[in-house]
Amino acid sequence: MPYERYGTELVDPAPLGRPLELYPSGRRVLNRFMKSSMAESLATWDPKVPHLRGVPTDESIELYRRWGEGGWGLILTGNMDISFDSMDDLGDMIITTDCPMSGPRFEKFQELAKAAKAHGSLIIGQLSHPGRQVQARLNPEAISASDVQLEPKMGMSFGKPHPASKAEIDEIVEGFAYAAEYLDKAGFDGIELHAAHGYIIAQFLSPRTNKRTDEYGTQTVENRLRFITDIARAIRKRVSPSFVVGAKLNSVEFQDAGVTPKEAEEVCGGLEQEGFDFVELSGGNYENFGMKWEKDSTQKREAYFLKWAKVVSESLPADSKLKMFLVGGIRTVDAMLEILKTIDGVSFARPAAAEPDLPTKVLSGKVTGTIKPVEGNDDIGGKFAVDLGMAKTQLRLTARGYQTIDFSDEEVMAHFKKDIDVWWDNLVADGDKLEYIRAPEYTGPVVLAK
Ligand SMILES: Cc1cc2nc3c(=O)[nH]c(=O)nc-3n(C[C@H](O)[C@H](O)[C@H](O)COP(=O)(O)O)c2cc1C
């Protein structure tokens, strides 16, 4: 049956349509929907010449234009890297301190911002540095809080990390601050620091990867916070007062010595004092994604990290102005409303790939939830390639002006599985050549968007 959805009952979605005031930026968000980050694999790429990488393409812009039409309060971009070779993934957008705030690259960022915010959404660039999670084929030398090696995972091996020197820390802080200023000047409404999922800021925040003994070290949360605090202060000095500054944060890491909700609480308190507008709570990292509905109770509650996010959000003082969003596994309108009782907003990645206009549909009151694919979509850790591939395929279709495909249809899924096998083989064959970077191509029937 086509377009099968999660949820069984139609409920009044009105609370999801309420605007939200951000502080200290003073910006107003249309409603409670956040489109979470998804690395698009659509920016320019050159295997050999680094400075030719990371420019938004016409396809990138078309994708954000479509999200801009979809009724999102906040639209977060995929990872934007601050280095040409320490990047999250091939085809990410990139801004380094060598990129001038004028000229062809800058103009593409301007175009993307304009397209995304044409209907009142706020467009927020997610700034990211992989640290020890850099793929070894991109850069065998990784930088991190300490020298804790990330073991091979998902067919990838990772650079050998060394502890960042003070000079390297300053350079990365400057990279984040420059990129924020660049985006401000290009018409973006704000940035989100990627401080979750094991990226470099999370490496400093987590006692598992931060073994330092200096002022950035493990002895106290305050010390582990210093890296993100330095970044936030450097950013605030360079952007306009109405520029939104947020962070994606793990509420929990499912590992020995990983971040606990208690520590996440302290981190949120610290971020509020530093003048962050919002925190998007997630969880897990490359070593343990934690993105699955493990127990019956979690399945009912849906959102993977709600339990921990509630603990963190309730720990903030009653007069706290820090806004909280929750991401991961939110699928029924019922659950979205339940979450709003304790958290300010709901954030979506895979459902936003499947339906660029998800908020408009939910707010119409005519749907019970997001589209329920035949498989995947509930367990990014277990079926990573399929799940990620499904979402990336949808992004690619939207970016090329097509309607997304219906993964709740068995025929579509069966066809796609053949395509993803071809994609995987090509990826493996590419090895270290770094030439094969785009998302899986769906070869079944597709329809042009109007
Ligand atoms: C294709 C794809 C790309 C992603 N890229 C990013 C990214 O660039 N930055 C990030 O913070 N999370 C990224 N994520 C994780 C999502 O933002 C989100 O945290 C996760 O998918 C859980 O939300 P969901 O259940 O609504 O999909 C990505 C997820 C997918 C499926």
Side-chain angles (χ1 to χ4, degrees):
M1 207 193 355
Y3 293 110
E4 200 179 326
R5 288 181 183 274
Y6 288 99
T8 47
E9 280 175 36
L10 288 176
V11 280
D12 177 10
L16 291 158
R18 289 194 194 126
L20 191 65
E21 308 288 335
L22 298 181
Y23 180 86
S25 70
R27 302 302 298 272
R28 190 161 200 261
V29 185
L30 284 179
N31 57 38
R32 304 307 174 103
F33 287 92
M34 173 184 272
K35 187 251 127 201
S36 195
S37 292
M38 277 182 283
E40 308 86 4
S41 305
L42 290 171
T44 57
W45 173 254
D46 190 289
K48 303 223 164 60
V49 188
H51 74 268
L52 297 180
R53 302 172 179 171
V55 184
T57 57
D58 289 344
E59 291 188 351
S60 321
I61 292 159
E62 174 60 13
L63 175 61
Y64 282 89
R65 191 187 69 74
R66 291 279 294 282
W67 274 319
E69 288 177 346
W72 299 91
L74 295 146
I75 300 177
L76 272 63
T77 68
N79 276 307
M80 287 179 169
D81 303 299
I82 59 166
S83 149
F84 285 122
D85 59 2
S86 247
M87 52 167 47
D88 164 65
D89 208 357
L90 294 72
D92 285 352
M93 295 184 263
I94 305 175
I95 303 160
T96 76
T97 49
D98 295 328
C99 302
M101 296 191 199
S102 62
R105 177 183 297 263
F106 187 70
E107 283 159 20
K108 285 294 185 190
F109 278 92
Q110 284 179 310
E111 253 186 85
L112 189 144
K114 196 169 163 207
K117 57 199 267 188
H119 301 276
S121 308
L122 298 185
I123 174 75
I124 309 287
Q126 187 187 53
L127 296 181
S128 188
H129 188 300
R132 71 175 194 146
Q133 280 181 183
V134 70
Q135 296 178 42
R137 61 188 186 142
L138 274 170
N139 194 342
E141 301 288 326
I143 195 166
S144 183
S146 301
D147 58 358
V148 184
Q149 176 73 44
L150 178 58
E151 296 307 323
K153 193 93 185 164
M154 300 173 298
M156 294 186 271
S157 55
F158 302 95
K160 183 175 169 12
H162 69 270
S165 66
K166 181 68 174 82
E168 286 172 322
I169 288 177
D170 291 346
E171 203 179 308
I172 294 174
V173 169
E174 168 64 13
F176 277 112
Y178 184 86
E181 182 185 353
Y182 184 102
L183 290 174
D184 188 16
K185 297 234 160 74
F188 280 69
D189 299 300
I191 57 103
E192 178 184 72
L193 294 175
H194 195 345
H197 304 172
Y199 286 76
I200 199 164
I201 300 175
Q203 288 159 33
F204 273 85
L205 287 175
S206 176
R208 191 174 165 82
T209 40
N210 186 342
K211 309 283 183 200
R212 300 176 76 96
T213 49
D214 63 1
E215 72 270 33
Y216 293 90
T218 53
Q219 314 87 317
T220 60
V221 171
E222 189 192 354
N223 277 345
R224 292 202 304 275
L225 260 170
R226 200 175 306 283
F227 184 53
I228 188 168
T229 304
D230 284 1
I231 295 169
R233 288 182 186 170
I235 288 175
R236 280 283 181 218
K237 273 193 206 144
R238 294 169 75 149
V239 296
S240 49
S242 62
F243 196 69
V244 177
V245 177
K248 187 167 186 172
L249 205 67
N250 277 3
S251 53
V252 62
E253 287 173 350
F254 306 89
Q255 294 159 304
D256 291 346
V259 166
T260 62
K262 179 86 197 98
E263 282 161 337
E265 251 174 70
E266 287 182 56
V267 171
C268 278
L271 296 189
E272 185 186 33
Q273 280 175 14
E274 284 303 320
F276 276 72
D277 286 84
F278 73 85
V279 163
E280 183 191 10
L281 286 170
S282 184
N285 54 34
Y286 275 26
E287 287 175 312
N288 186 347
F289 281 103
M291 290 189 196
K292 49 184 150 191
W293 297 321
E294 291 203 51
K295 300 188 195 95
D296 282 358
S297 58
T298 324
Q299 176 92 46
K300 262 183 236 138
R301 202 171 40 235
E302 294 183 30
Y304 312 132
F305 311 116
L306 180 57
K307 182 168 124 196
W308 298 286
K310 266 187 175 162
V311 175
V312 174
S313 118
E314 281 162 7
S315 73
L316 288 171
D319 60 350
S320 167
K321 293 198 170 76
L322 182 69
K323 296 293 179 288
M324 298 285 216
F325 289 79
L326 180 65
V327 68
I330 305 168
R331 298 295 182 263
T332 65
V333 181
D334 234 358
M336 297 172 202
L337 293 167
E338 186 58 33
I339 291 165
L340 277 202
K341 290 180 186 160
T342 37
I343 312 260
D344 300 293
V346 280
S347 182
F348 303 86
R350 287 163 288 176
E355 287 183 287
D357 59 349
L358 179 71
T360 307
K361 287 207 180 106
V362 171
L363 291 173
S364 76
K366 292 185 185 145
V367 299
T368 54
T370 64
I371 295 170
K372 184 177 187 179
V374 178
E375 64 180 76
N377 216 33
D378 59 353
D379 185 352
I380 210 170
K383 302 178 189 127
F384 188 78
V386 178
D387 234 13
L388 206 74
M390 284 160 67
K392 291 232 176 190
T393 298
Q394 300 282 36
L395 301 186
R396 190 174 186 188
L397 285 167
T398 305
R400 288 168 155 191
Y402 292 104
Q403 293 179 16
T404 52
I405 49 176
D406 177 12
F407 280 121
S408 71
D409 182 323
E410 295 206 1
E411 265 179 50
V412 172
M413 181 58 90
H415 193 108
F416 175 72
K417 279 178 130 178
K418 291 187 203 134
D419 290 335
I420 202 161
D421 283 347
V422 172
W423 175 74
W424 186 252
D425 290 347
N426 285 337
L427 206 62
V428 172
D430 185 60
D432 292 346
K433 291 205 288 286
L434 298 173
E435 285 165 0
Y436 189 74
I437 69 154
R438 300 300 175 199
E441 175 145 31
Y442 182 66
T443 58
V446 285
V447 180
L448 274 175
K450 58 178 167 24

